[in-house]
């Protein structure tokens, strides 16, 4: 699985922790920045990661900002992206099974770093259920 990851300054430290965690686990992962804790604009990184996933270059994307909210708003503007902001492992599991989410958003000022890693692990390992009703609803999202 090829993963694209990005963050703004609010998510910079968490991005580095998630990167190290996923590299240790053997994932192929590309860092789209930001590359320092200097203040920057989250839509830039959301767009880069979302377009890389929507274009098929990467299978999944992970975006981190202070709340995760700006990243999820921005990522969901890219056609084909289903970005899910998660603060618990139940939602991470459910959004993969039900929404086939292809981008995970996290709020570094909202959750602890160990919980963030648990959410990432749960989200990456959970398959889409491929249930008929879920496929139908996901298709409907394309027309919203
Ligand atoms: C940056 O201060 C903060 O606004 C950003 O990280 C994020 O929380 C936006 O949604």
């Amino acid at each position: 699985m090829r993963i694209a990851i990005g963050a703004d300054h609010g998510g910079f430290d968490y991005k580095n922790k998630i990167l190290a965690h996923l590299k240790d686990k053997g994932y192929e992962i590309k860092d789209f920045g930001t590359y320092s804790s200097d203040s920057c604009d989250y839509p830039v990184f959301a767009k880069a990661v979302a377009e890389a996933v929507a274009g098929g270059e990467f299978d999944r994307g992970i975006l981190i900002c202070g709340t995760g909210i700006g990243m999820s708003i921005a990522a969901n503007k890219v056609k084909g992206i289903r970005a899910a902001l998660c603060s618990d492992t139940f939602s991470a599991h459910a959004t993969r099974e039900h929404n086939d989410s292809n981008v995970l958003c996290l709020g570094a000022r909202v959750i602890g770093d160990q919980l963030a890693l648990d959410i990432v692990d749960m989200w990456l390992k959970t398959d889409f259920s491929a249930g008929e009703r879920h496929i139908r609803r996901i298709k409907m999202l394309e027309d919203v």
Side-chain angles (χ1 to χ4, degrees):
M1 185 190 297
R2 300 153 305 166
I3 302 168
I5 190 167
D8 72 353
H9 54 288
F12 175 66
D13 289 341
Y14 275 42
K15 173 170 67 66
N16 291 340
K17 283 179 184 162
I18 294 167
L19 259 171
H21 176 73
L22 293 182
K23 278 184 179 165
D24 274 356
K25 292 195 161 209
Y27 283 99
E28 188 187 325
I29 180 160
K30 180 174 171 183
D31 184 359
F32 281 75
T34 184
Y35 303 114
S36 83
S37 56
D38 294 347
S39 183
C40 59
D41 301 325
Y42 61 82
V44 172
F45 306 97
K47 187 170 193 285
V49 166
E51 288 183 346
V53 173
E57 194 187 342
F58 292 86
D59 303 299
R60 306 269 193 95
I62 299 173
L63 289 165
I64 313 107
C65 65
T67 59
I69 296 170
M71 287 297 197
S72 58
I73 291 170
N76 276 314
K77 288 187 173 290
V78 176
K79 192 165 175 55
I81 291 302
R82 294 176 299 280
L85 171 57
C86 295
S87 299
D88 63 274
T89 55
F90 172 79
S91 297
H93 186 267
T95 190
R96 283 290 311 133
E97 279 200 333
H98 292 200
N99 315 122
D100 196 17
S101 53
N102 48 14
V103 171
L104 173 68
C105 299
L106 299 166
R109 296 173 186 158
V110 180
I111 57 172
D113 56 356
Q114 188 56 55
L115 177 55
L117 296 180
D118 287 352
I119 290 170
V120 166
D121 287 343
M122 177 65 83
W123 186 74
L124 288 175
K125 77 179 182 193
T126 305
D127 292 328
F128 177 47
S129 74
E132 182 277 328
R133 70 186 189 283
H134 297 307
I135 292 170
R136 182 179 70 245
R137 291 164 188 163
I138 287 167
K139 280 190 181 141
M140 291 169 76
L141 288 175
E142 293 301 314
D143 302 323
V144 171

